[in-house]
Amino acid sequence: MKTVAIVGASLAGTRAAQELRAQGFDGRVVLIGEEPHLPYDRPPLSKAFLTGTASRESLDLLDADDLASLDVRLGTRAERFDAATGRLVLTGGELAADGVILATGGRARALPGTESVAGVHVLRTLDDALALREELVPGARAVIVGGGFIGAEVASTCSGLGLDVTVLEALPTPMARVLGPELGSICAGLHGRNGVTLRCGTAVAGLSTLSGRVTGVQLDTGENLPADVVVAGIGMVPAVEWLDGSGLEIGNGVRTDTGLVTSLPNVVAAGDVAAYGPAGTRHEHWTNATEQASVAIANLLAGQVVREYQPSGYVWSDQYAGTLQLAGHPSPGDEVRFADGGPDDESFLATYHRDGQTVAVFGFNNPRGFGRLRRQALRRPMPVG
């Protein structure tokens, strides 16, 4: 193997480039990124970078030594892939590669029909964050559509900047699919305690506009919420459309086996775009992208599956003055037990139980206790997919 192409200058893509060198590959590594920016870390986009307290340089994922060992092509879109020959069609030319890592991530879902409406935003890229940051003026009315991790983090940031914030969530309890109803309800309470209005079981019917700019959010109840800025935090879509006709199996991402290898041993996937195992499981979290890269590269270099991916299920979120941490794989029906503190405390630990096993650990404002409990309770990772 002489040339490896990494499609996607994402976290998973940059970690894959670093893993290729760490695991002994000394050939040519081409890192292809659609954005014009050098690879950057995304979590601060909804927090410190959005407030202006983190610099652009602090987000960089590659250092000078990394860049010196790579052929980095920014502002370059992958348009087509012939899996049989390993030939990539890019904007401006073609590239032949012996090995390919698919790390294209995804694109944020927008509210339908709002693409050209001023004041309506998504938050996925650096440019998204820069555009949104310009509109976060103290006293402005912000409506956040979606009460998941991104929505909650943006609401927290907007509140801290002095905006009047309302969060709309379609589900009865925000984050219930990830945390379950009990802990989801506790996290929902953070909004109210910080002066943010949370409205659950609410669907958006449309927007009110004036001269091409948003002025309000129309609810399915007929109510109109005044809004100066609207942020959609309603998930993402895997970036796989360019793989149509490639011969690879596509379904809610790029389908792979449990080793993150596609139907071809010289093509692997990692990060948000990878749908692995029999169930086509995808994880859209920072830790997953870093963990998958090493497994995908080991199997790519071996030409066969020598390692299977075992997700830790770790995710964290900074909201208001609190830090939420989760490890493991909870389900909404799991029993929740409080290991330290309780639901009304400013700091607590909890565990999830199913069929006599501890399947997940949750911590709020207790990182040291969370780490200790995680090591004790989750000695054996739960299989997923």
Side-chain angles (χ1 to χ4, degrees):
M1 192 175 291
K2 296 181 179 180
T3 298
V4 173
I6 304 171
V7 187
S10 58
L11 173 64
T14 55
R15 290 292 183 262
Q18 292 165 334
E19 282 292 332
L20 279 165
R21 297 310 187 200
Q23 295 187 34
F25 180 72
D26 59 2
R28 181 188 181 201
V29 178
V30 184
L31 179 62
I32 301 159
E34 183 177 353
E35 295 184 58
H37 312 290
L38 284 169
Y40 56 87
D41 209 13
R42 295 185 191 276
L45 296 184
S46 60
K47 299 180 278 287
F49 185 78
L50 195 58
T51 65
T53 58
S55 68
R56 164 65 185 92
E57 292 72 25
S58 70
L59 308 183
D60 285 342
L61 291 172
L62 296 173
D63 61 23
D65 290 339
D66 292 324
L67 291 170
S69 73
L70 303 173
D71 178 355
V72 181
R73 303 190 184 185
L74 301 176
T76 301
R77 180 194 296 268
E79 297 181 340
R80 196 165 64 255
F81 178 46
D82 184 346
T85 64
R87 186 166 296 277
L88 289 155
V89 178
L90 311 173
T91 51
E94 295 187 355
L95 175 67
D98 308 304
V100 175
I101 299 116
L102 303 174
T104 47
R107 296 181 176 86
R109 294 182 186 272
L111 294 170
T114 65
E115 291 79 2
S116 61
V117 180
V120 181
H121 299 264
V122 295
L123 184 56
R124 175 81 181 177
T125 69
L126 178 66
D127 290 336
D128 292 337
L130 289 170
L132 176 58
R133 190 165 72 179
E134 291 296 316
E135 304 218 50
L136 301 186
V137 179
R141 297 163 298 184
V143 175
I144 316 299
V145 182
F149 287 116
I150 291 294
E153 290 172 4
V154 172
S156 170
T157 297
C158 289
S159 176
L161 291 172
L163 282 76
D164 178 5
V165 185
T166 299
V167 177
L168 304 178
E169 170 58 52
L171 296 175
T173 304
M175 294 190 285
R177 289 174 179 165
V178 178
L179 302 178
E182 186 172 358
L183 292 185
S185 294
I186 294 171
C187 293
L190 292 173
H191 295 296
R193 294 205 297 273
N194 288 277
V196 170
T197 300
L198 172 65
R199 299 183 60 167
C200 294
T202 304
V204 174
L207 299 179
S208 300
T209 62
L210 179 64
S211 301
R213 183 172 183 87
V214 67
T215 58
V217 177
Q218 299 169 355
L219 306 183
D220 58 353
T221 60
E223 181 182 356
N224 188 75
L225 289 179
D228 302 303
V229 59
V230 174
V231 183
I234 52 177
M236 53 79 77
V237 180
V240 294
E241 64 282 347
W242 68 283
L243 292 170
D244 288 346
S246 67
L248 297 176
E249 184 180 356
I250 305 299
N252 188 34
V254 179
R255 295 300 299 264
T256 76
D257 59 21
T258 54
L260 303 169
V261 181
T262 69
S263 54
L264 296 176
N266 67 328
V267 181
V268 298
D272 292 355
V273 79
Y276 70 95
T281 303
R282 279 197 315 108
H283 301 288
E284 300 173 9
H285 299 302
W286 190 95
T287 304
N288 175 74
T290 62
E291 292 174 339
Q292 283 193 342
S294 64
V295 175
I297 294 307
N299 294 331
L300 176 68
L301 295 179
Q304 60 181 333
V305 176
V306 295
R307 289 177 58 186
E308 291 191 343
Y309 179 55
Q310 293 286 348
S312 67
Y314 177 71
V315 60
W316 84 95
S317 178
D318 294 323
Q319 300 176 21
Y320 305 103
T323 297
L324 289 63
Q325 293 176 283
L326 174 71
H329 308 286
S331 296
D334 293 339
E335 177 191 0
V336 175
R337 303 174 189 169
F338 289 92
D340 184 23
D344 298 324
D345 294 331
E346 293 299 316
S347 171
F348 67 84
L349 299 171
T351 52
Y352 294 81
H353 301 266
R354 185 189 323 140
D355 299 329
Q357 287 189 323
T358 302
V359 295
V361 173
F362 180 85
F364 179 64
N365 275 346
N366 193 340
R368 182 174 297 179
F370 173 84
R372 181 176 62 252
L373 186 60
R374 178 184 179 184
R375 290 189 296 271
Q376 293 171 349
L378 299 177
R379 291 189 175 93
R380 292 182 300 174
M382 291 286 290
V384 173

